[in-house]
Amino acid sequence: MKFLLLVVLAAEHPMAISQSPGPDIHRVAANAARLHDTMLDPASFVLDAVYLTKPSKRGNVSVCYEYRSHNTMGGYSAGRAVEDGDDHNRLSTYTAAESGRYPGYNVGWVAPCKSKNLDREITADVAPLAVALYRKER
């Protein structure tokens, strides 16, 4: 009987059994679209992954973006960005060091996107919304 009540409650209120609330998906999608629009060749932009981090000591969740786009030589260059929950959701971009890692993103003392800090991937939720917000074709 309790299980049936739980199923009925979940059907009427899908958020009643969801995971902890994260950032607004529309804001995250808008930031992904902003990254797209800043690329040298926006048509080649690929959003590889979007992750939410575990809450920080202050209780803030950050959003980590992994993407790539054509560079001036025609090859793909990878980039990373983070919407830092501890810094008023400021969006910062990062380029790879010679080691192939991203200092400040996933390497360093305060890097929010280290693998141990990642909570869940939300790429499937963000990507379709971001495409609708793209302003540049080329």
Side-chain angles (χ1 to χ4, degrees):
M1 185 63 140
K2 289 181 184 179
F3 178 74
L4 181 60
L5 179 61
L6 188 60
V7 170
V8 170
L9 179 64
E12 291 179 7
H13 303 283
M15 293 303 292
I17 303 181
S18 71
Q19 295 179 353
S20 63
D24 178 33
I25 296 297
H26 293 287
R27 185 188 78 232
V28 174
N31 280 331
R34 185 177 311 143
L35 290 169
H36 166 273
D37 292 342
T38 61
M39 296 295 114
L40 178 66
D41 181 8
S44 69
F45 180 80
V46 177
L47 184 62
D48 291 320
V50 181
Y51 298 101
L52 295 179
T53 64
K54 297 172 187 169
S56 68
K57 291 179 182 178
R58 297 180 187 147
N60 298 318
V61 173
S62 295
V63 182
C64 305
Y65 302 85
E66 297 181 2
Y67 57 92
R68 56 195 156 98
S69 178
H70 281 148
N71 59 23
T72 55
M73 302 295 285
Y76 270 97
S77 291
R80 303 289 186 265
V82 63
E83 184 181 322
D84 193 345
D86 284 338
D87 192 13
H88 306 288
N89 295 324
R90 182 175 58 103
L91 185 66
S92 301
T93 59
Y94 299 90
T95 56
E98 289 182 22
S99 65
R101 304 201 57 196
Y102 296 82
Y105 176 82
N106 62 1
V107 176
W109 184 257
V110 293
C113 299
K114 294 177 187 173
S115 59
K116 70 177 186 173
N117 295 338
L118 299 180
D119 184 34
R120 61 187 161 127
E121 184 175 359
I122 59 169
T123 312
D125 297 330
V126 173
L129 294 173
V131 170
L133 299 172
Y134 290 168
R135 293 184 185 211
K136 290 185 177 178
E137 293 287 324
R138 279 206 175 262

